[in-house]
Amino acid sequence: MDYQTSVELALHLGYEEVQDPQAFKSRYFIKDGKKWIHDIEALMRHLGISQYSDLEDLGYDLNNYHSYKDFSNEMARQEMQSIYQGITHEEGEATYLSDGMWLHPDGTLEQR
């Protein structure tokens, strides 16, 4: 999936954005002490490592990576729509998540 869709999925799954000038695009996403992985090959090249276990040692979330790595943009959008269906109080309206983030029925996020 593309980077923006990966970011939206991470936020939907409860990861929080952390600004970090050393991180890819100056931010990373973390939940329960584990960092979200957008592109594992690029990450491993950037860090100069060759073993998945090294990523785990550095606090990256390999479980969720393997759960979602094969999602296309459309599959990720469907997952976000499913999340919307499960939490919405008023069908057809944006649902507030947290920190100014709103989830729309089509699975997109908006920060207000």
Side-chain angles (χ1 to χ4, degrees):
M1 77 184 78
D2 65 38
Y3 178 76
Q4 186 55 41
T5 303
S6 180
V7 167
E8 290 177 8
L9 182 57
L11 292 170
H12 281 309
L13 294 172
Y15 287 78
E16 294 182 20
E17 182 177 339
V18 176
Q19 297 296 318
D20 180 350
Q22 303 300 316
F24 180 70
K25 296 198 178 194
S26 298
R27 62 185 179 163
Y28 64 89
F29 301 84
I30 193 163
K31 176 182 172 183
D32 300 328
K34 296 285 187 177
K35 296 176 188 171
W36 180 258
I37 300 170
H38 299 285
D39 180 333
I40 200 163
E41 287 83 17
L43 176 61
M44 291 174 75
R45 276 192 311 272
H46 175 74
L47 296 173
I49 59 177
S50 59
Q51 302 293 319
Y52 280 2
S53 60
D54 293 335
L55 288 176
E56 214 161 33
D57 294 342
L58 292 170
Y60 287 92
D61 192 340
L62 290 174
N63 289 333
N64 270 339
Y65 171 75
H66 289 297
S67 295
Y68 295 101
K69 72 178 178 144
D70 294 326
F71 271 37
S72 65
N73 285 344
E74 184 55 33
M75 291 170 72
R77 185 85 51 224
Q78 288 172 0
E79 178 76 9
M80 292 183 279
Q81 288 170 338
S82 175
I83 291 169
Y84 172 85
Q85 292 296 321
I87 65 172
T88 192
H89 298 286
E90 196 167 325
E91 189 67 35
E93 298 294 322
T95 297
Y96 183 71
L97 298 174
S98 70
D99 298 328
M101 295 302 291
W102 292 79
L103 176 60
H104 292 275
D106 67 357
T108 59
L109 285 176
E110 175 187 12
Q111 187 165 9
R112 298 181 183 172

